[in-house]
Amino acid sequence: MDLDLTTTRRRTGARPTTTGVEIPHDQLDQFSPPEIRAALVKEAEALAGVFTGPSQVSEPSSLALRLHRPRGPWEAFLHPSRDEFGHIHRAGFMHLTLPQALIEPMTKAGWVEPHPISLRPEWPDTIVMFYAPRNEAELAVAIAALRASWQQASDQH
């Protein structure tokens, strides 16, 4: 069952510390345990039409989430890539594009923060950092956000 990300519960604890700068925009604490990150990667790789590899827009050690047939709008992708809708960093946090309607409620609930680069007019304002899931309950929210990003990028309504 998919979670309603517009009304999801609040993330527990303090927000992670992040660099808060354009590039690199990194999470500095509260990382995912290896088994939680592995489960997140497994879910991402199971999405229809997704292939993975080194990111085209971030550090090469982050795992890009790319589409064989990208069909979504411009704001569904991490530019300058035309097919990368997100990536998973080694620490477990993700940079994703999310549907606009999810950004404010997920920010208020403490799950995401807007990527500072999205303030620039040549970048979509849909780019967020989804904080690294620390347990199974947080993993479920991360997977729901990942699916929302994938649906937007693949034009799956």
Side-chain angles (χ1 to χ4, degrees):
M1 173 180 267
D2 286 332
L3 297 173
D4 180 356
L5 295 175
T6 61
T7 61
T8 191
R9 65 176 173 79
R10 182 153 185 78
R11 184 180 179 275
T12 60
R15 286 184 187 255
T17 305
T18 63
T19 57
V21 297
E22 263 189 31
I23 298 174
H25 183 223
D26 287 333
Q27 183 173 326
L28 304 175
D29 58 12
Q30 302 185 39
F31 302 141
S32 295
E35 66 277 7
I36 296 292
R37 183 187 183 277
L40 181 61
V41 168
K42 183 178 178 182
E43 288 287 333
E45 291 175 336
L47 293 170
V50 170
F51 67 101
T52 60
S55 177
Q56 301 175 316
V57 298
S58 184
E59 61 182 346
S61 64
S62 62
L63 185 69
L65 308 174
R66 299 173 63 192
L67 287 172
H68 288 290
R69 292 186 183 91
R71 295 193 172 112
W74 175 81
E75 60 270 9
F77 299 97
L78 301 174
H79 297 278
S81 172
R82 295 175 163 261
D83 61 9
E84 185 173 337
F85 63 94
H87 48 256
I88 304 171
H89 288 266
R90 289 176 292 180
F93 69 93
M94 297 183 285
H95 283 114
L96 293 171
T97 56
L98 284 179
Q100 193 67 48
L102 297 180
I103 294 173
E104 183 179 349
M106 292 200 72
T107 301
K108 286 182 177 179
W111 294 101
V112 303
E113 67 181 53
H115 194 303
I117 205 165
S118 66
L119 297 173
R120 295 168 65 182
E122 66 270 24
W123 290 83
D125 61 0
T126 54
I127 304 170
V128 299
M129 172 190 285
F130 187 100
Y131 302 131
R134 301 167 289 181
N135 55 46
E136 293 287 334
E138 291 184 4
L139 176 61
V141 179
I143 290 168
L146 174 67
R147 288 181 181 154
S149 181
W150 166 78
Q151 287 174 334
Q152 176 179 250
S154 59
D155 200 22
Q156 302 279 325
H157 298 288

